[in-house]
Amino acid sequence: MPHNIRIDDRKLDILQWLRKYDLLTTSQLALLDAGSEQRVSRILHGLEEAGHILRPYGQRQTFYDKREPWIYGLANLGADCLAEKRGIPRGKLDWTKKNRVAKGNYKHKRLLNELR
């Protein structure tokens, strides 16, 4: 069940990076944020609990995938928040539906974002 959190500039930056790069890991977001991975992980947890971001289905299906980092994507609530607070057009895209299922696709996107 989503709960309310205070959205500051740092959280808006994270939402904006997820909008720009589509799917990002905790470590990738920590590099963009120039903060500690632990602090960014806590921020991501709060944003996920509030419904602003999501972890796509299809991650960590086998024992060997447990070594893979969690991947996050933007949800509709996060896109609405960016539109309201930063004036970034939300468009007609259903962000939650787009980022909910990442089977087979997320590893490729993660590697592309590493190169960026």
Side-chain angles (χ1 to χ4, degrees):
M1 180 171 193
H3 69 279
N4 293 330
I5 61 170
R6 193 177 127 266
I7 302 292
D8 56 11
D9 284 336
R10 190 174 189 187
K11 291 179 181 115
L12 285 170
D13 288 341
I14 289 173
L15 293 175
Q16 196 166 345
W17 290 321
L18 286 171
R19 185 183 189 281
K20 179 179 180 181
Y21 294 109
D22 206 19
L23 297 173
L24 291 170
T25 64
T26 306
S27 58
Q28 289 170 337
L29 284 163
L31 283 172
L32 289 168
D33 182 59
S36 74
E37 196 168 325
Q38 184 179 24
R39 178 66 184 136
V40 170
S41 180
R42 287 181 183 145
I43 292 170
L44 290 172
H45 180 71
L47 287 171
E48 183 185 11
E49 288 291 316
H52 287 81
I53 63 172
L54 53 86
R55 287 189 298 202
Y57 296 138
Q59 299 183 71
R60 298 184 179 200
Q61 294 181 340
T62 67
F63 172 77
Y64 298 105
D65 290 337
K66 290 183 181 181
R67 290 179 260 170
E68 297 290 322
W70 283 113
I71 295 174
Y72 294 90
L74 188 66
N76 288 333
L77 192 57
D80 292 339
C81 186
L82 282 173
E84 177 187 329
K85 299 202 184 241
R86 291 227 169 139
I88 298 172
R90 185 190 185 289
K92 295 180 181 179
L93 183 63
D94 185 349
W95 288 93
T96 301
K97 184 177 180 182
K98 175 184 179 283
N99 290 326
R100 178 53 72 192
V101 179
K103 226 177 229 187
N105 188 15
Y106 72 92
K107 290 182 182 181
H108 177 73
K109 286 185 180 184
R110 190 183 83 220
L111 290 173
L112 283 177
N113 288 334
E114 283 290 327
L115 293 173
R116 288 183 182 176

